Amino acid sequence: MDTLSPTARTWAEIDFEAMLHNFNIARRTGKKVMCVIKADAYGHGAVRCGRFLERHGADAFAVACLQEALDLRAGGITKPILILGHTSAEFAAQLASHTITQTVVDESAAEELSEAAKAAGVTVDVHIKLDTGMSRAGLLAQGAENGMEAAKAAERICHLPHLHVTGMYTHFSVADTPSEDAYTAWQLENYMRVYNYLCEKGLRPETCHTSNSACILSHPETQIDMVREGVILYGMYPDSAPQQGELRPVMTLKTRVSQVRDLPAGTTVSYGRTYKSETPFRTAVMLAGYADGYPRRLSSNTTVTIRGKRYPQVGRICMDMCMANITGADEIARGDEVTLIGGDSITWEEAAEKVGTINYELTCLVTARTRRVYLNEEI
């Protein structure tokens, strides 16, 4: 029996009221909404988030791989699930039996999946992926000549006997960068070339989608049948830059004070002796480290919040602990709650800027040891 309180050490609070607010931003488009909950919902907990979003009207979900899709089905998710990455054709029967939609990225992969489905006596639902400018995966559809080749390949895929093409999509590479709007428009033009060809042939897939999070916020012209809400669902901005806006952050990373210590002048703190105080000082030892998802690269470059006040984190962040300088704060004691990122502390965007990465990499790196605590789940 699990008797340990999830807030006994270090935990991540997941605010479903904030998530619902962000979900409704996508709903305002008037299109179907596919919620992207790959990578354990960007670290927020895919099954719990999926159940909540399904109850509030999510039309579909997207994941990265078959195992993520199976986990959602085992967790009770019934809405359509699209696998964005490649799945080996040998799993055709599992895709069909669990009603999971598979992305096909080229004609040979589609043919292999169709043959495997035939051998298993099933038909597999698929979405065709077009590479309109991301140069990552999909039928190469960049430019007029490649676009027509992609269109003809898509036509042939639509006629494969054991595949049911239910959708076609692409992904924009710079839709979150206003200075690159011309490139986004070019990508959309590339998509529409294939789309129009299939329409002329009477093969328009039921669900055509190109709009990612950045497009939900800034590019209504890309919104066709459905939009894919990823990072903004969790209240983080696609360009990862600190900003004010209507999104509400969903995750807050918290821990507790384990010890308060008074140290003499000249004392150095933590590995490498990177922090030294020339005057007597007081530290709070906190029960969070990089093995919990609190990045080591934030060392001595961030603040934490205790009892509503910010204090500088000092010394290198360790695997399981870190320290803050709380000189003058006589009221802080063992067991006090500490906000590390989110809430009344630094934002995920600010933390990412300090670390040199993007906001949602940080939430993805919050480890399983850090328990998730779900707030407002019953709304």
Side-chain angles (χ1 to χ4, degrees), residues 177-339:
T177 308
S179 63
E180 294 276 14
D181 281 354
Y183 192 83
T184 298
W186 181 72
Q187 282 198 254
L188 181 60
E189 179 184 339
N190 291 335
Y191 179 90
M192 295 307 297
R193 183 178 293 111
V194 180
Y195 171 91
N196 290 331
Y197 179 90
L198 292 181
C199 287
E200 290 171 4
K201 298 292 183 179
L203 295 172
R204 184 200 192 280
E206 177 184 350
T207 305
C208 293
H209 50 111
T210 71
S211 181
N212 56 15
S213 284
C215 291
I216 290 171
L217 295 178
S218 304
H219 292 281
E221 73 279 5
T222 67
Q223 298 161 12
I224 308 176
D225 300 317
M226 183 168 65
V227 297
R228 299 189 305 272
E229 188 176 28
V231 61
I232 66 171
L233 182 61
Y234 310 101
M236 297 179 287
Y237 286 90
D239 62 3
S240 203
Q243 57 189 283
Q244 296 294 322
E246 64 175 330
L247 296 180
R248 296 182 185 173
V250 174
M251 181 186 289
T252 303
L253 185 63
K254 294 186 174 183
T255 189
R256 293 199 182 278
V257 174
S258 64
Q259 187 180 15
V260 174
R261 310 188 71 212
D262 290 304
L263 299 171
T267 300
T268 58
V269 176
S270 196
Y271 291 112
R273 303 180 65 202
T274 58
Y275 179 83
K276 179 179 180 180
S277 176
E278 300 300 335
T279 59
F281 65 111
R282 171 171 289 187
T283 64
V285 181
M286 300 168 290
L287 294 170
Y290 57 80
D292 302 289
Y294 192 45
R296 186 176 183 270
R297 288 190 64 185
L298 283 177
S299 296
S300 296
N301 189 30
T302 187
T303 59
V304 303
T305 303
I306 309 172
R307 297 196 179 200
K309 185 177 178 181
R310 297 278 190 100
Y311 298 94
Q313 185 278 321
V314 295
R316 285 188 179 156
I317 294 170
C318 307
M319 182 180 286
D320 313 304
M321 289 181 279
C322 58
M323 283 65 71
N325 188 329
I326 59 167
T327 302
D330 296 337
E331 71 280 6
I332 293 177
R334 188 191 330 272
D336 278 355
E337 182 177 289
V338 182
T339 306

